[in-house]
Amino acid sequence: MAQSSARREGTRPSVPDTARPGGLPGQRGAAGPGPRTGGGGGRRHGGGRRRGKRGKRRILRWVAAVVSLVIIGTAGAGYLYYRHLNGNLQKDALNLGDHQVPKTKANAAGQTPLNILLIGSDARDSKENQELGGAKNTFGAAPLADVQMLLHVSADRSNMSVVSLPRDTVLKIPKCTDPQGKTYPATGWTLANESLGRGGPGCTVATWEQLTGIHIDHFMKIDFSGVVSMADAIGGVPVCVDANVYSHTHDGHGSGLKLKRGTTSVKGQQALQWLRTRYGFWPDTDVVRTRAQHQYMNSMVRQLRKGAKLTDPGKLMDLADAATKAVTVDTGIGTPKKLYDLAGELQKVPTSRITMTTMPNVNSTRPGFSQKVDPKAGDADKLFAMVRDDTPLDGKASKKKTPKLSDDPAAAKDEIGITVRNGTGGDGAMPTSHRATDVATLLRGQGFTRAASDTRQDPQKTTEILFPGADLEGDAQSVAQAIGVPLSSVKKSTDVSGVTVVVGSDWRTDTIYKSAADDDGKTPDTADVIHGDDKTQCMHVDPAYTW
């Protein structure tokens, strides 16, 4: 439907263009505004054997679709089919940057959050992608990461947070070296979607880590044809518009999406049109387009969790085949078995605890980046900090209680042994030199004469004060009060033998610790929150695009 229009949506120049707009795979247009540590469907083989342990081993339940793969979908396949699926998967390096954010450490219960980056590529690198994406002058050009969504799954698997980065976000891309050894030097100010063309998805991962200070565990990349094949295999996803909409302009721009008012189940190319539509959803910006993407994802999750598409073995196998052909993943999840294990963790999250957000942003004021966006100071930092700290974005975290002072009073300052470690490299940047020594000197000046620095590097984002047992909790709290660290950052850890201050990357300078983020546990209003169980979402149509 309206194929020629769909091809024109996302047209881009063949040379670098600082005014290039942003959106989902290939869409173009003007942009808008850890905790610390101390079966289905399998076929029987071998003629008439009863199901036992060996039979069970032949059954594989695993992820069904690129987004459902990450969020919930499961499908069944026999072992031989598993081998076929394994051959479908394409793999690439996880992180191509020089300075990587340290992996999130497990909490006291041994649980670790999961951070998975979804990347939508606009590559015109195949006949099918060229047909779907159009823009002949860009055939074979470096791909752009036109969709970037971070899926954060909490350590206890009780909730999931999704953070979208507008593709026209102005930032600096770090130095990246591809698997063949080609080096792409760090950039000055440029657009976020340029990262994919600098060695592959591993450079997009490195860019995210540099921007947010969040460690990325895995990535999944999909292109135009992958979106279409997955949407067809799923069989339709319900979406809603509040008026008839036709995404088509007088000069031929637009995705070609044409829907009647109300709810329509979209699949195939029509699903791709929905995800790429900018001209049509008020106020015709890439940020609003991100909201349409979130509506689609939430609806897909609800659809798959109904189980309607997971009962027909033939459909399951089609879905499995389409999923594994559609995505490129990092080597850490590069087999169906590993994806299955990942899905087993992710499907623990109830739909009602999935929260979609967009990075808070403002119109960029940087020269040469008119109509692009910058992270909104304060709000974007707070959103990233909440993800780093594993704070649910749906506001359903346990009510924070003000930590109580220990019943065991602190010893005299000059009797408390303190070890100070430099953890300022926790944001992926180079650690601040001599920071442990500086803080140890600061503590001695306040009367903690037994404070000493440790040469061990212990990178982490947030400053913490650790203690091994209840008998030293009061001492640790006394240290925290002296240097302004909140009592909530005083934690028991079996990794230390005495009171230990780990100076995080949030305290690179100054003599008194000051928390960079407002710790009220509330997601910024500017993050445009949509909850996974909200069935009332309906895109507001620009009156200029009704029919």
Side-chain angles (χ1 to χ4, degrees), residues 160 291 294-295 298-299 302 351-357 393-396 523 528-537:
M160 178 186 295
R291 170 172 277 266
H294 291 167
Q295 183 187 137
N298 279 335
S299 183
R302 294 194 298 268
T351 305
S352 60
R353 298 297 309 278
I354 297 173
T355 306
M356 303 279 177
T357 66
L393 300 186
D394 60 4
K396 296 180 182 178
T523 303
D528 192 23
V529 172
I530 299 179
H531 299 296
D533 59 351
D534 185 355
K535 300 179 182 179
T536 67
Q537 289 296 316

Side-chain angles (χ1 to χ4, degrees), residues 73-338:
T74 57
Y79 175 66
L80 294 179
Y81 195 60
Y82 168 90
R83 292 179 63 186
H84 163 72
L85 299 176
N86 195 45
N88 285 345
L89 282 170
Q90 299 182 65
K91 297 171 278 291
D92 212 332
L94 174 61
N95 192 318
L96 303 181
D98 283 351
H99 304 295
Q100 301 172 11
V101 173
K103 185 175 177 60
T104 306
K105 297 179 181 179
N107 60 20
Q111 301 167 315
T112 306
L114 279 171
N115 295 309
I116 305 164
L117 188 62
L118 295 185
I119 304 169
S121 168
D122 79 340
R124 274 78 164 176
D125 55 358
S126 69
K127 183 176 180 180
E128 189 174 3
N129 281 332
Q130 290 166 359
E131 284 289 322
L132 293 167
K136 291 184 178 180
N137 60 331
T138 64
F139 287 4
L144 299 177
D146 281 349
V147 180
Q148 299 180 43
M149 294 183 182
L150 176 68
L151 276 65
H152 170 85
V153 188
S154 65
D156 62 5
R157 308 300 187 252
S158 69
N159 65 91
M160 178 186 295
S161 302
V162 178
V163 179
S164 286
L165 180 73
R167 73 174 207 171
D168 279 353
T169 300
V170 181
L171 46 66
K172 294 182 179 180
I173 299 174
K175 174 185 174 183
C176 292
T177 304
D178 71 19
Q180 289 71 45
K182 181 177 179 179
T183 297
Y184 299 81
T187 71
W189 295 110
T190 189
L191 300 182
N193 62 356
E194 301 283 351
S195 60
L196 185 59
R198 300 175 64 81
C203 194
T204 304
V205 168
T207 302
W208 263 82
E209 290 200 355
Q210 177 174 274
L211 175 68
T212 67
I214 298 168
H215 173 79
I216 308 297
D217 297 292
H218 301 293
F219 74 77
M220 299 181 183
K221 179 176 73 72
I222 188 169
D223 58 16
F224 294 143
S225 60
V227 171
V228 171
S229 65
M230 287 310 313
D232 277 338
I234 290 167
V237 174
V239 295
C240 177
V241 290
D242 65 3
N244 293 351
V245 62
Y246 182 29
S247 178
H248 181 78
T249 68
H250 68 279
D251 57 355
H253 291 292
S255 71
L257 180 72
K258 192 172 185 179
L259 295 177
K260 291 183 178 180
R261 176 183 177 181
T263 300
T264 303
S265 183
V266 297
K267 63 179 181 178
Q269 187 171 346
Q270 195 174 44
L272 179 63
Q273 290 172 338
W274 173 273
L275 295 170
R276 298 183 69 200
T277 292
R278 172 176 174 263
Y279 299 107
F281 299 147
W282 180 261
D284 308 314
T285 66
D286 291 314
V287 174
V288 172
R289 178 168 48 195
T290 298
R291 170 172 277 266
Q293 297 163 10
H294 291 167
Q295 183 187 137
Y296 180 92
M297 289 179 67
N298 279 335
S299 183
M300 178 188 286
V301 174
R302 294 194 298 268
Q303 188 79 350
L304 288 168
R305 285 192 169 181
K306 287 179 182 178
K309 305 300 177 185
L310 305 179
T311 56
D312 184 320
K315 289 184 178 180
L316 289 176
M317 296 178 82
D318 288 344
L319 193 54
D321 194 44
T324 48
K325 286 179 177 177
V327 297
T328 297
V329 299
D330 66 277
T331 53
I333 50 173
T335 68
K337 176 61 169 65
K338 291 178 180 178

Side-chain angles (χ1 to χ4, degrees), residues 404-419 443 446-451 464-487 489-492 496-501:
K404 296 181 180 179
L405 289 174
S406 172
D407 292 333
D408 184 25
K413 290 184 177 181
D414 60 359
E415 296 178 1
I416 299 175
I418 306 170
T419 299
L443 286 167
Q446 296 193 17
F448 296 94
T449 56
R450 296 180 59 192
E464 293 179 342
I465 299 178
L466 310 176
F467 62 93
D471 59 324
L472 293 180
E473 183 177 13
D475 294 355
Q477 290 179 340
S478 175
V479 174
Q481 291 173 321
I483 56 179
V485 173
L487 292 184
S489 293
V490 177
K491 301 178 181 180
K492 183 178 179 180
V496 297
S497 58
V499 175
T500 303
V501 178

Side-chain angles (χ1 to χ4, degrees), residues 444-460:
R444 289 194 295 272
Q446 296 193 17
F448 296 94
T449 56
R450 296 180 59 192
S453 60
D454 187 350
T455 57
R456 172 180 171 182
Q457 297 287 320
D458 194 2
Q460 61 183 53

